[in-house]
Amino acid sequence: MTEKLTAWVLAARLRTLPLACSSILLGTGLAARNGAFDGAIMGLSLLTAILLQILSNLANDYGDAVSGADNEARIGPQRAVVSGLISRGEMVRAMVLVALGAVASGLGLLVTAFGNNWLDVLLFVAFGGFAIIAAITYTVGKTPYGYRGFGDISVFLFFGLLGVLGSFYLFTHSLSWPLLLPAAACGLLATAVLNINNVRDIEGDRVSGKITLAVRLGREKAIAYHWVLLGAALLLTIAFLLLEGTGPWPWIFLPALKPLSGAARTLSETRDGARLNGALKQTAISAFLYSLLLAIGLALS
């Protein structure tokens, strides 16, 4: 029983969950700055995002096992299906249950946020369905888009633009164009987390036919791309804060830049799997702290 539970925790990849919450927290901070905070909406938004991320992780574990992308040469954490800890049938059933949980949580969120405003409800139902399909087809199916170099675009959209703008809209029922700046910054940081993962796995992915953007670019260009992601996120954040005249509080995000740049230097300097695993974890935590601190600062401004 303990071994099985450990296997499910492994498959859920709990380390990824804080990053999944980043866009929700940032959208919440932006809404709070506009006087539109609601604890129930925030809680249900976080729950839905967490369930969607777990669904994506389970699908990724299953899809990589079925496709053969995971094997004994893998550098990252052990996967549950390919190791035999969880059967393919068990994983499929778990994916269905988590998807149903995400649907239930999402519907509760929409009722709480919009009441009987059915136009907005239907719009977000479509968005939620799209998110579930995207989470599964990232690595599952005949042509998983994560194996064709489109994972970065998906992460940028769901963990950035759609996540931040969507959560802001749940609170305020409105949008404005400057919000694109912090939303894009959040998405770029999430994409940086994916990129460092893909650079770590670049050789194994190339051999197994998993053509990520890092594989397409090659190691050196993928490292340069990583620095561009971090720099662009910083510039967009600064532009938003200056444009909006937010005052000093939001600038408390700045300390998160040091570990982000430190992990990027590690990526530039080594091919060692253990060190790159550490840099990946550092990037994920730092990206989460960046968005969390920015959200708190915006709420206080």
Side-chain angles (χ1 to χ4, degrees), residues 274-297:
R275 290 189 63 192
L276 290 176
N277 281 337
L280 173 59
K281 180 179 179 181
Q282 184 174 331
T283 303
I285 292 173
S286 301
F288 170 72
L289 288 175
Y290 185 110
S291 295
L292 175 62
L293 292 172
L294 181 59
I296 292 172

Side-chain angles (χ1 to χ4, degrees), residues 3 14 23 31 36 39 42 62 75 81 90 95 103 111 115 152 166 169 186 199 208-209 216 229 240 242 257 279 291:
E3 184 181 8
L14 301 184
S23 61
M42 183 182 75
Y62 175 84
I75 297 174
V81 173
E90 288 174 324
M95 288 163 56
V103 169
V111 170
D152 294 57
Y169 190 86
C186 188
V199 173
S208 66
R216 290 186 184 277
L229 291 172
F240 175 76
L242 294 178
L257 294 175
S291 295

Side-chain angles (χ1 to χ4, degrees), residues 22-157:
S22 295
S23 61
I24 306 300
L25 293 172
L26 184 52
T28 299
L30 288 162
R33 182 172 180 265
N34 284 264
F37 176 78
D38 185 301
I41 293 175
M42 183 182 75
L44 287 168
S45 296
L46 289 171
L47 177 60
T48 304
I50 288 170
L51 289 172
L52 287 172
Q53 182 61 43
I54 292 175
L55 175 62
S56 178
N57 292 341
L58 297 180
N60 186 255
D61 194 301
Y62 175 84
D64 280 352
V66 171
S67 69
D70 276 348
N71 52 51
E72 65 278 358
R74 176 177 168 79
I75 297 174
Q78 183 185 29
R79 294 298 182 89
V81 173
V82 76
S83 66
L85 296 172
I86 295 173
S87 71
R88 293 184 182 183
E90 288 174 324
M91 186 60 79
V92 170
R93 288 191 290 274
M95 288 163 56
V96 171
L97 288 175
V98 174
L100 291 174
V103 169
S105 175
L107 290 175
L109 169 62
L110 297 183
V111 170
T112 302
F114 298 129
N116 59 358
N117 186 341
W118 294 110
L119 182 61
D120 281 340
V121 169
L122 291 175
L123 176 65
F124 272 77
V125 165
F127 169 44
F130 181 42
I132 290 174
I133 293 170
I136 295 173
T137 58
Y138 185 84
T139 56
V140 175
K142 294 183 179 180
T143 56
Y145 66 89
Y147 294 175
R148 297 295 178 266
F150 297 110
D152 294 57
I153 295 174
S154 175
V155 166
F156 176 74
L157 288 175

